[in-house]
Amino acid sequence: MANSGFNIAPAALADIIVADLRPKLPVLDVFTTMAQSTEDRGTTIDVPFVAGDDAITFDKASGGYHQTGDADVTKATVTLQHFHATRGFDASELAAWGAEGIINAFREEAAAKIVKKVNATVAALVTNANYAANDVITAENFDYNDVVDLDTYLDGLDAPAERGLILSSSYIGALRKDAKLTSAFNTQGDNSVVRTGIVGRIGTLQVLQYSGLPANGENLAGFAASKDAICIGMGSVWSASPNSAVSSLSGLSVMVESEYTGGILYLTAAIRMGAAKGRANLKRVLSA
């Protein structure tokens, strides 16, 4: 790489970006996520599911621990996609902003665009073909009671208790104004929805906002799902460039590469990830 006059260390920048990015991807915690080892270069990840009989009472006469139920092992194969955010900065921009300004601008922009891509990849699975169950509820009528009903629906499926409720902005907004969630502020002066705007957990559902939730051509406005409904694979990333580095945090690997050529400094942040349908423990919320 030609000398740009900038001391941008890819390893340090990768550490910064992965630390910025990981907390902005709670979807990796809500759904079943499996990460490749850093040495793996495969293009797919198999995410296993194990089911079986209920736990049983220990009985020596029946064989003790040898008394087992059948294990139902299935898998979802996730195909990894390679996503990147690359930005170029010319000499005038480098002079105007300096190394620190350029790095700060890039890290925020790259993280925002990668978050949007990951969320869109997950939401693209939520279609009638994959998950037929749905409720039609307008944003104006969506409230706490609907969230309870969605949670109860998943209870009826014997779905795992680790669950998420993904909502578009207008539906999150409806919950933030719901008196059932805000009344505690009026009576006790301490309500997190009013103070932070974050709905948080209702029942077993961790409520998350997708500001760019795609409608998928089916009026999708949100969905409630258990952890096993969607499988996410996080791949390792690598580059042949000597001006690159990888940093990993809680299953997320980010590769950063810098290149100065033709009077332009190029900075890249890249990940590999994919998503696939798991079990049918999901219900869609449709706007119409």
Side-chain angles (χ1 to χ4, degrees):
M1 183 181 77
N3 183 9
S4 66
F6 275 67
N7 182 22
I8 295 179
L13 184 52
D15 288 343
I16 291 170
I17 291 178
V18 77
D20 279 352
L21 187 56
R22 185 59 180 85
K24 297 174 183 176
L25 291 172
V27 67
L28 301 185
D29 303 309
V30 171
F31 299 118
T32 302
T33 300
M34 181 167 288
Q36 284 181 327
S37 68
T38 55
E39 295 78 21
D40 197 338
R41 297 295 186 263
T43 59
T44 61
I45 298 178
D46 287 336
V47 180
F49 296 103
V50 179
D53 299 332
D54 291 338
I56 57 179
T57 302
F58 183 88
D59 182 0
K60 181 179 179 181
S62 299
Y65 291 144
H66 290 172
Q67 184 185 11
T68 63
D70 291 333
D72 176 18
V73 183
T74 57
K75 69 176 182 179
T77 298
V78 177
T79 299
L80 298 174
Q81 302 178 71
H82 191 173
F83 301 134
H84 72 96
T86 300
R87 300 294 181 267
F89 304 94
D90 63 25
S92 61
E93 292 167 327
L94 297 177
W97 293 98
E100 184 175 356
I102 291 295
I103 289 172
N104 287 335
F106 174 72
R107 63 188 274 195
E108 294 176 5
E109 166 72 2
K113 293 303 189 290
I114 290 174
V115 166
K116 183 177 180 180
K117 195 68 174 178
V118 170
N119 288 345
T121 300
V122 172
L125 293 171
V126 186
T127 62
N128 182 67
N130 287 333
Y131 310 96
N134 70 84
D135 282 333
V136 178
I137 313 167
T138 63
E140 292 78 10
N141 292 320
F142 188 75
D143 61 14
Y144 174 84
N145 292 339
D146 296 308
V147 178
V148 172
D149 290 344
L150 289 166
D151 202 11
T152 302
Y153 170 81
L154 293 175
D155 284 341
L157 299 178
D158 288 329
E162 293 176 278
R163 302 170 183 172
L165 174 59
I166 312 301
L167 295 171
S168 65
S169 296
S170 58
Y171 283 69
I172 283 284
L175 287 182
R176 288 173 179 154
K177 294 184 287 187
D178 189 339
K180 291 184 177 67
L181 296 176
T182 61
S183 60
F185 179 79
N186 296 325
T187 58
Q188 301 173 19
D190 183 18
N191 181 275
S192 63
V193 176
V194 175
R195 290 184 289 107
T196 69
I198 298 172
V199 175
R201 183 176 294 276
I202 299 177
T204 67
L205 293 168
Q206 181 65 40
V207 183
L208 304 177
Q209 178 179 352
Y210 271 29
S211 58
L213 182 71
N216 291 343
E218 299 174 349
N219 299 314
L220 181 69
F223 57 95
S226 63
K227 191 176 184 71
D228 60 355
I230 293 176
C231 304
I232 300 174
M234 300 304 298
S236 57
V237 200
W238 66 95
S239 171
S241 170
N243 300 298
S244 65
V246 175
S247 185
S248 299
L249 179 64
S250 301
L252 172 66
S253 291
V254 176
M255 188 277 294
V256 167
E257 181 177 304
S258 65
E259 179 184 9
Y260 186 77
T261 182
I264 298 176
L265 174 66
Y266 295 95
L267 294 178
T268 294
I271 68 167
R272 288 202 307 152
M273 68 82 59
K277 176 186 174 182
R279 294 184 173 133
N281 293 328
L282 183 150
K283 193 169 195 177
R284 296 174 298 135
V285 177
L286 307 181
S287 60

